[in-house]
Amino acid sequence: MKIAAIGDLHMREDEAGAHRDLFAEIGREAETLVLCGDLTDLGKPREAELLVESLRSCALPVVAVLGNHDYESGCAGEIAAIVRGAGIHLLEGQSCIIEEVGFVGVKGFAGGFGSRMLGSFGEQVIKDFVGETMREATSLENAMRRLPAGRSMVVLHYAPIPDTLEGEPAEIMPFLGCSRLAETIDRFRASLVVHGHAHRGRYEGRTPGGTPVYNVAAQILKPNGKPYALFDL
Ligand SMILES: [Fe+2]
Ligand SMILES: [Fe+2]
């Protein structure tokens, strides 16, 4: 199955009709579309309505996760309802199967990488921060465990590895993702992982266990010269 993946469209209220031509092109090029979060710019329900309006130019099944921007206005639940109302498979720790390909998705969270990962130690606020990452990783784990064997794609907003963040300022790397997500992915089997969030990162990397990871943020240059990546699964 041909799958197009793109993240970080950041739809704004003053951008009615934006991405319509892009979605129409994807509709001709692929068989499924995956959206890797930051669907909206400020997390406003109106922005989500405009995005689903633009998506009408593409008749494909759509799989999505939310991003941090979709939480900005405290309306993530409303945004999720708008997106689901448009028939999009919004994954928040769930999975779905399209044409025998399994999709599993969570937003993920920050926390850093490898031995430099933020630990659950000290002040309560640090424990809460790490707890949020652990909850996302556990939610991914439960969804991956239920996924039937076969071709599968893990859909995230935050990065599971630092490789696809290369190009971002070193100071913000720990806020762009967390190895706990890669540890979970490597306990199971997935064909590939896509994420967004790192607008200045790098396209391609691998988890320590060898699963290919792609940063498909719209701002990242893809091998096909388009803002979206194309995968054959
Ligand atoms: Fe973004
Ligand atoms: Fe983001």
Side-chain angles (χ1 to χ4, degrees):
M1 180 167 67
K2 276 214 165 86
I3 303 168
I6 186 167
D8 304 83
L9 288 169
H10 289 260
M11 179 61 101
R12 293 197 332 237
E13 270 179 321
D14 59 358
E15 280 186 330
H19 315 305
R20 205 175 275 160
D21 293 345
L22 179 74
F23 290 142
E25 179 184 323
I26 289 172
R28 293 188 295 271
E29 297 287 321
E31 295 162 272
T32 295
L33 168 61
V34 173
L35 298 174
C36 289
D38 285 357
L39 310 176
T40 64
D41 196 44
L42 295 173
K44 295 180 178 177
R46 180 67 190 141
E47 296 174 327
E49 283 169 4
L50 291 177
L51 183 76
V52 301
E53 261 174 52
S54 284
L55 271 167
R56 286 201 197 115
S57 68
C58 165
L60 306 181
V62 182
V63 176
V65 295
L66 296 180
N68 57 316
H69 279 248
D70 303 315
Y71 280 78
E72 167 58 17
S73 298
C75 301
E78 216 177 312
I79 288 176
I82 291 165
V83 168
R84 287 205 172 99
I88 293 167
H89 301 273
L90 181 70
L91 304 179
E92 296 176 293
Q94 300 92 350
S95 60
C96 68
I97 294 175
I98 300 169
E99 305 278 337
E100 294 177 24
V101 175
F103 294 86
V104 57
V106 293
K107 171 179 62 67
F109 195 54
F113 299 95
S115 60
R116 307 288 180 160
M117 230 172 7
L118 184 63
S120 185
F121 182 89
E123 298 91 328
Q124 190 56 46
V125 68
I126 296 289
K127 290 175 178 164
D128 292 345
F129 186 98
V130 175
E132 178 69 13
T133 319
M134 305 281 265
R135 266 191 300 280
E136 289 290 304
T138 305
S139 164
L140 175 63
E141 178 177 328
N142 289 336
M144 288 191 82
R145 184 173 288 129
R146 290 193 298 265
L147 208 59
R151 294 165 290 154
S152 63
M153 182 185 265
V154 176
V155 185
L156 305 170
H157 181 60
Y158 285 82
I161 55 168
D163 313 33
T164 46
L165 303 179
E166 251 175 49
E168 294 281 358
E171 293 85 349
I172 65 165
M173 294 263 189
F175 309 122
L176 297 177
C178 188
S179 291
R180 291 183 207 275
L181 298 165
E183 285 167 9
T184 301
I185 291 161
D186 280 343
R187 273 203 294 282
F188 301 89
R189 202 207 54 80
S191 309
L192 62 94
V193 182
V194 287
H195 73 84
H197 193 46
H199 297 197
R200 284 166 291 188
R202 196 169 65 138
Y203 177 61
E204 201 166 359
R206 259 174 208 280
T207 64
T211 305
V213 178
Y214 300 94
N215 177 358
V216 297
Q219 301 77 5
I220 301 275
L221 189 71
K222 317 293 188 309
N224 59 1
K226 307 280 188 184
Y228 58 89
L230 269 182
F231 303 102
D232 228 328
L233 254 194

